[in-house]
Amino acid sequence: MGKSRRTVQIVILLLILVLGGYAITTSVSGSNGKPKEGDKSPSFELLGLDGQVHTSDEYKGKAMVINFWGTWCEPCVKEMPALQAQADKWKDQGVQFVGINVGEDQMTVDNFVRQVGVTFPIMLDRDKNSVRDFGISPMPTTFFVSDTGKISTIHIGQLDLDTLDAQISQLAKQP
């Protein structure tokens, strides 16, 4: 009995050392799994309000504005008209807007989108897989992605019309 107990203790100690080493390494290197500016944008495969499954591959070669939001998030609701105005302004210039709703049911999101008049694609992240892949916290969070698929800017918090326009102008100028 004593020998097997000692073996278990050694295994637990080794596991603690490995996990501790991993935690220290990721902390020092700054890699916590969240994408950063300059990284390739994570991909997504989500159900759209149109009932179709959409993937990030559909938008290859286009600059993208990916906005994570929820109807319960007051800053998200406040910035939606500015996002729609910019989507209208930039749609013929190769900039694709995508709204990713976080964890809400389709009826709630559909009602909100109709009420506010949003016409750009809205995806549903019910299981919050994209939230995890993009490292979203808090909301709203908006990713500005170049036409090459690299993250140009990550904006955390509510965007106003002028800031949004400036970010998109920069994005559209990138080679």
Side-chain angles (χ1 to χ4, degrees), residues 64-65 142-145 151-153 155 159 164 167-168 171:
M64 292 181 67
V65 177
T142 305
F143 284 73
F144 296 88
V145 181
I151 299 168
S152 171
T153 307
H155 184 91
L159 284 160
L164 195 52
Q167 290 290 337
I168 297 168
L171 187 64

Side-chain angles (χ1 to χ4, degrees), residues 10-53:
I10 290 173
V11 169
I12 290 172
L13 178 63
L14 288 173
L15 186 60
I16 289 170
L17 288 173
V18 168
L19 291 175
Y22 174 76
I24 290 169
T25 301
T26 56
S27 176
V28 169
S29 69
S31 172
N32 58 2
K34 290 175 78 166
K36 304 179 295 303
E37 292 176 2
D39 289 352
K40 184 175 177 358
S41 177
S43 60
F44 61 81
E45 182 175 337
L46 297 166
L47 179 67
L49 284 184
D50 62 1
Q52 304 294 313
V53 174

Side-chain angles (χ1 to χ4, degrees), residues 39-108:
D39 289 352
K40 184 175 177 358
S41 177
S43 60
F44 61 81
E45 182 175 337
L46 297 166
L47 179 67
L49 284 184
D50 62 1
Q52 304 294 313
V53 174
H54 296 274
T55 68
S56 49
D57 289 343
E58 292 175 37
Y59 307 110
K60 269 191 176 167
K62 286 188 172 188
M64 292 181 67
V65 177
I66 305 171
N67 177 257
F68 287 83
W69 67 283
T71 63
W72 46 267
C73 164
E74 190 174 328
C76 301
V77 170
K78 285 182 178 178
E79 78 178 356
M80 199 56 73
L83 287 165
Q84 182 58 54
Q86 291 299 313
D88 291 341
K89 177 180 177 179
W90 291 94
K91 69 181 176 188
D92 295 329
Q93 298 176 50
V95 178
Q96 178 66 55
F97 280 67
V98 173
I100 299 180
N101 177 270
V102 178
E104 294 184 274
D105 66 89
Q106 187 165 349
M107 185 186 301
T108 300

